[in-house]
Every structure is written in C-alpha cells, then in structure tokens.
Amino acid sequence: MFAHWLIEAARLFFVRLTTPSSQITSSTKRQQARLLSSMSLVLGIASLITTPVWVLTAPGFATAPWIGGGVALSYVFIYLLSRTHRYLLGVALMIVAALMLVISTLITAPGPLIERMLALKFLLITSLLSSFFLNRTVTILLSALNLAISGMFFFIPEVPTSFALSYFVFLAVIPLLGAVGAVLGDTYRKRLNESEERYRSIFAVIPNGIVVQKQGGAIEACNTEAERILGLTRDQMLGRTSMDPRWRTIHEDGSPLTGEDHPAMITLKTGLPQFGVVMGVHTPEGALRWLSINSQPLFQPGEAQPYAAVTSFADISEAKRHQRELAEAQRRYRGLFEQTHDAVFIMSLDGEYVDANQRGAEMLGFSIDEIKRMTIAELSAEVNDSAQIRQRLQAGERVPPYEREIFRKDGSVIQVDINVELVRDLDGRPLHLQAVVRDITERAQVRQRDFELTLEKERVRLLSQFIEKASHEFRTPLAVINSVVFALARTEDADQRLVREAKIKDQVARMTRLVDMLLEMNKLESGLEEISHIPVDLDGVIQIAIDSLNRPAGKGPAIRFEKQTSLPFVMGDRHALIEAVQQVIDNAVRFTPEDGQITVSTGTANRRVWVEVRDTGQGIAAEDLPHIFETFWRHDEMHTTPGMGLGLPITRRIVEMHGGSIEVESEPGKGSVFRIVLPAPSLFE
C-alpha cells in the first residue's frame, strides 16, 4: 500500500514537473512541450550521472568534463525553455548541443579517428528531434547536413572507404526513414490539428463547465466555463485531483463530500456514467457554488477500464437559491397558515375544499381530511349567495369582507366574517380561492344585544319626546278651556255664555282631532295599520280630500284642481290615500293667505303617477326643509302657527306604505310645492 502511494506520488510529481505552460492552448503543442520537458529532464538527470563516470573512465580525455558539463547545463536551459511557450527554442538548443557534442568529441577526443567517429551516431538525435518537433523541411536540411558531415570522411586517407561508407549509409537511411515519417507525421498532424480545432471549438462554446480527468483523477483539460464557475485558472486546475481537500466539496445536506464520492472518481472506478449529481464546491474566495454534475467514461478500444472521464457541470447556485427561497417562503406561509387565529380554507374554482388549517377544523368540528372531501354547498347556510360570490371573483371583481352563516358538524349554525380572494398564477390564470374566516358568533350576539339596547333606548327617547310634545299640544286647549270655564262661571249674559261654550267645544274638537291623529300615527309607525291593495281612482281621492276641508264659502285661498284626462289607477287603500292628500292640501291652506291660490294637479312620468299641490304661501326656509316631516315639528317653538305637527308625518308614512315617496320644493316668499309620487301598475301592462 505504501509502495503504491509512493509510486503514485512520484508520478504526480513528475506530471507536475512536465506540465506545459498555460499559454500553450493547442493539444499537439502541449504534447510536444511535455515531451521536450520529459526528454530534457531525463537526459539532464542521466548526464549528471554519466558525466562523472565518463570522466573517471577516460582520464586521457581532457575536455570530457567541459563537454559533459556543457551538455548537462544545456539540458537545464532546455528544460526551463520547455516550461514556457517558447519551447521550440529548447528544441533548437538540443539540436545544437547534439551537433556540438559530435564535433567537440571528433576534435578533442584522444585515440584514432576511427574510434572518434563513433560520436557520429549522436547525429541521429538531431534528425529524431527534428521529426518530433520541427517540420519536414528542417528535418531534410538537418539530414543533409548529417550526410555532409559523414561524407567528409571519404576524403580523409586514414579512414577506410568501407568504414566511411557504412557511416554514410547508416546516416542516410535513418534520416530518410525519418523524413518519410516527418512527411507522414505532417499529414497526420494536419488532420489531428483539424480534429483538435473542431474539438477545441466545441469544448470552448459548450455553456457548461467541462473537465477531463485521467485515471487517478488528475485534471488534464478544462474549458473557459469551468474556469469561471470554479474560480480557478487553467494552470491552477491542471493536475489537481478530485481528492484535493482545497475543493471543500459538500453534499446537499451540508455534510462533507469525499473525493471517492465525486462522480468523476466513481466513473473512473466503475466505468459507469453518473447523471444529475448535485454537489457544493467552494471557490478560492470562499464562495459556495452548487453544481449539477454528469460524468462519462472514456475507453481505449478493447479495454474495460476507462482511461479518463469527461465531467460536465452547470452552475445551479441561482436556481438553488431560488429553490431555498421558495422553500423558506412556503415554510413561512405554512407557519402563518397554521398559526393564525383565524380559519383559513383553500377551495378549487368549482367550490371544493382543497385544504384547511387546524383552526378551521376546530371551528367546524370536522377533521382536515373530512373537510377536503366536502364542498362549499355542504357547509354554507346561504348556498346561492356563496355561488354568486365565486362567480363575481372569477369575473375579476373584488369582493369586500362579508358575513355568512355556516354549518358545523353537530348541525349548529355559526356566524362568520369571510375575507375571500381569487389567487392567480404568475401568468394571471386563476388557481384557487383562499378564504380567511373568523367566528363572530359572540360578536354578533353582543352586537344584537347592543342593537336591542340601542333600540330600546331610542324607543324610550321617542316615547319621552312624544309624551313631551303631546302634553304640550294638549296643554294649550286645556288652558283655553280652563280660562273659558272660569269666565263662563262669572258671566250672566246669555250671548256671552254661548260664545264661551262654543270656544270650549272648539278646543274639545281640537283635542279630539289630536287624539285621533295620535292614534293614527301610532298605528302607522307600529305597523298595526293594515292597508288594502285595490285599484283606486286617484282623481276621486283628490276631489273628496278637497271637499272634506269644510271651509266656509269665500273663506281662505282658492283651490283649483287641474285634472288629467286619462290618469291611471293605483293600487292602495282609498281611505288612507284620501287622508294623505287631505293633510297636504290642509297644510297648504293653513300657510296660504286668503287672497292666495292653491293648485292641485296630476300627471304620469317614468311609469309612476304624481299628485302635485302648489301654493302661493309664505314658503319654507331651506334650513327647515329637512325637519318638516318630523313628528310634532313646528317652525316656531312657541307653537303659535296653526297645526299640530302630525299631518305631514302621517302623509309621508302613508305614501311610503304604498311604495311611493313625497318630495317638497319651497322658496321663502314664493310658496311651496309638495309632490306625492305613487307606482301605477296599470302602466306596466
């Protein structure tokens, strides 16, 4: 186990040492840079080991330390250049170093020239390097240079021709094969570059983050979107594994997510793809990003174990935030739904209960599940009104809070206050009805008791007021009778006694009339007076009312009756209507001077019949008009004006009992106009 860990650590360290510069984006160039780093690193380490051995085994080779040191130093520079985007300068430096090694060995090495010619084999390094890193033109030129160097030995006498020929052929065939390989390599590289360009374009424009991880979990490629989402640069990500604790990954519930549980690691281990895995990862700045991850294995032909995995991920942090806000809003709504002191009901548009809170169940005596199986029609004591409310809401009308009676499970009825609204979705489509219901049974009872108490107080007040005003009306004739009786007892003159007896009779008649009107008013106000509804000739009613005034001939204002030829009948009580019209005409007579005129006219308008009494009397002040129909009301508090203050109130009550109304217009000094308006059923036929 320790050995495996040590090997893996060494491998990761070597990968880190040979990782190309992030400025190199082409995968082919990155491979070339990695190859150059690996070669220069290995050759540099090898030269550090072989140079001391070479120096010790060749004591006569004085320049060996300098040649070996120069080669080792050049490999250091080559390695440094391989880690930059100018790695091709390292390739050139390696070719120059190989040439310098061959030339310096041929010139400075001890021994026969034939033995020194062994260094010519290092010329192959230049051809190989050129075929690996450079184009075919440079490869051919270097091969030609190698042939020229080896061909020079044909002209040196001490070198046998056969020996020189063998090196020439060796250095010709191998570069030729290298040239062929370079030509083929260029073709393959061109195709590979085209394929890579397409792959890189797709890789770059994919809206999700893409990461390619090799077996073991190390990241070897990523796109720009992955850099943006994870908050890391390409260089910071390449080589990092899913096991790295700096990711600080977590599950949806907030618990730590280990590297072994990462979808990519599971795919690399099992060869199975992973879909829709939600994971939280922290950026270097400490921000938490939520990702939805898919991972797909990559297989070499014929192999069952994946050599890499492609991981795609989308940043769902915003969606996660909205989801959390929605969950919190739902939790708050549910808390309010359950904790409110009022009952809350959710109903479908068809009037079926969808949900209710606990308070609603307690109010009705049903369980929540029982309520969900019921409809509004089963609970409402006023089904038709409830249906109309639903129709109004669905028509877009806003319905103010209203009161309703509903049934409880035990059959009892409770009074409730309902505030209902139509809930719509974001597109404005109706979803359901939501009603907040408050039990106001006790409040209604208290309100009824308050109403009854107020009504009783009003009755007492009206009775007191009635007694006070009635006593005042009786006090005046009684005072007159008392004074006349006193005078009568002291009068011997028969004529005077007759006059005083007549006054007493007048006051008694006045009191009798007052009592009759009080009784009539009481019947009308209490509802004890029943009126008949038969066809009534209104013209006849008016004529009888005028004739019943019993005025002496030539006394008082003239009364003119302007009849309409075809006045329709009205439905009502003939005697009550005569009383009403008589009171209005009598009122006009009492306030019109003897030389004045009273005009009674009739007509129809808007399917109604009207009777108008117009006088030329003193008129009524504007501030007095609102009071003239009040019981016992007089313009003067001393009651010096004629009348008892009961005629007009009796008239109004009779007219209202017939479904009509009475109107008045007046201007001081110009007279008054009273108009009685009654419905005329015959006009509808």
Side-chain angles (χ1 to χ4, degrees), residues 96-136:
V96 171
L99 291 173
M100 295 304 298
L101 174 63
V102 171
I103 294 172
S104 60
T105 302
L106 287 173
I107 295 174
T108 62
L113 181 60
I114 294 177
E115 295 179 1
R116 284 178 282 165
M117 288 181 62
L118 293 173
L120 293 175
K121 297 177 180 179
F122 288 99
L123 292 175
L124 292 176
I125 295 177
T126 61
S127 298
L128 291 175
L129 288 173
S130 179
S131 63
F132 287 155
F133 299 103
L134 305 177
N135 56 41
R136 57 188 176 186

Side-chain angles (χ1 to χ4, degrees), residues 278-299:
V278 177
M279 180 182 74
V281 60
H282 289 82
T283 65
E285 292 78 18
L288 176 62
R289 299 277 173 82
W290 288 100
L291 311 179
S292 177
I293 302 176
N294 300 327
S295 60
Q296 189 73 28
L298 299 178
F299 296 96

